[in-house]
Amino acid sequence: METKERIVTFVKTYCLEFSTVYTKLRKSGGYGSVRWQPPPVETVKANFDTVFKLTSGVASSGVVVRNSSGEIMGASFRSFGPVPSSFAAEASAAIHAIELVVDLGFSRAIIEGDSLTVIKKLMAKMRDLSDICSLIWDAKSKAQNLLACSFSFVPRLGNQATHLLASVDFDDDRFWVEDEPPSFGPLLAKERCFSERL
C-alpha cells in the first residue's frame, strides 16, 4: 500500500512541477528563449542534473562549473544508489554540485538545476519535512562552507550539458579540472555562444 501511495505522490508532484515550468515558459516566450546564463563576476555557476533508473534505483549525476566568462572551471560525473526516487537523485546531484565547488576552492556559487521541486526546497527557509528532508538538510549544510551560495532553477534546455554528462555510461566516477569532458566541447561552446548573444 505504501508503494502505491508513494507512486501517486510522485506523479502528482511531477505533474505540478511540469505545469509550473510550462506556465513559466509560456510567459517568458517559450522554450526557444531558455539559455544557460553566466553568473556574476567572482561567482561560479554549478549546473547539475541526474539520470535516475526507476527499475534499479541507481542514479548518476553530472556537474559542470563555469565562471562569468563561461569558461569551464571543473566538471564531474558520479554514479550512486540505490536511491528511492528521482527527487532523491536530484537532491543528491545538488550535493554533488556543492561538493565540487568547495573542492575546486571557490567561495561564491550559484547552484542551478532543472528540478523545480528540489530547487524550491533548497531555497526554502522553513524546515523540509518531505521524504528527501535529510538530503535537503545535507545540501544546505554543505552550502554553509561557501561565503555566498544561492540556488536557481533553469529548465532542461538551459541545462543540457549536465544532463548529457549525467547520461554518459562511465565505468567509474570522473573529475575534470579546468577542462571539459571528452566530446562535450561543441555543446558547451554552443551554450556559451548563446549566452554571449543575450
Side-chain angles (χ1 to χ4, degrees):
M1 192 65 163
E2 182 183 328
T3 305
K4 289 180 182 178
E5 290 172 0
R6 290 180 75 179
I7 292 171
V8 170
T9 301
F10 170 79
V11 171
K12 284 181 179 178
T13 306
Y14 185 84
C15 289
L16 178 61
E17 182 172 331
F18 178 82
S19 175
T20 304
V21 171
Y22 179 75
T23 302
K24 285 186 176 186
L25 287 173
R26 287 187 62 197
K27 288 180 181 176
S28 68
Y31 289 95
S33 64
V34 177
R35 302 282 183 243
W36 178 85
Q37 294 293 315
V41 176
E42 297 185 6
T43 301
V44 294
K45 180 179 280 188
N47 285 82
F48 70 90
D49 202 3
T50 186
V51 170
F52 172 66
K53 297 174 183 172
L54 184 61
T55 52
S56 63
V58 174
S60 55
S61 60
V63 178
V64 177
V65 179
R66 289 175 270 201
N67 65 13
S68 59
S69 300
E71 298 168 324
I72 305 295
M73 297 289 98
S76 180
F77 167 89
R78 181 183 290 172
S79 180
F80 54 94
V83 289
S85 69
S86 63
F87 295 114
E90 289 283 353
S92 297
I95 293 168
H96 180 194
I98 296 164
E99 289 174 342
L100 180 58
V101 168
V102 171
D103 288 347
L104 290 170
F106 295 107
S107 59
R108 299 178 183 275
I110 298 168
I111 310 300
E112 186 172 75
D114 58 22
S115 173
L116 184 60
T117 299
V118 170
I119 294 297
K120 281 183 174 180
K121 289 178 180 298
L122 291 168
M123 293 172 66
K125 302 295 183 191
M126 294 189 311
R127 183 180 171 200
D128 184 64
L129 299 175
S130 70
D131 289 348
I132 60 170
C133 63
S134 62
L135 294 168
I136 297 300
W137 182 89
D138 193 21
K140 289 181 176 182
S141 177
K142 289 181 186 299
Q144 290 178 359
N145 292 317
L146 300 167
L147 286 178
C149 183
S150 62
F151 300 97
S152 175
F153 167 76
V154 65
R156 174 67 56 83
L157 284 176
N159 205 35
Q160 292 183 61
T162 51
H163 180 71
L164 182 59
L165 181 56
S167 303
V168 177
D169 196 17
F170 289 119
D171 292 333
D172 53 11
D173 295 352
R174 302 290 172 96
F175 185 78
W176 299 267
V177 178
E178 294 184 5
D179 196 11
E180 60 206 27
S183 76
F184 276 68
L187 177 56
L188 292 166
K190 180 180 173 184
E191 287 186 343
R192 182 176 174 184
C193 181
F194 278 131
S195 70
E196 287 172 349
R197 288 182 196 167
L198 299 177

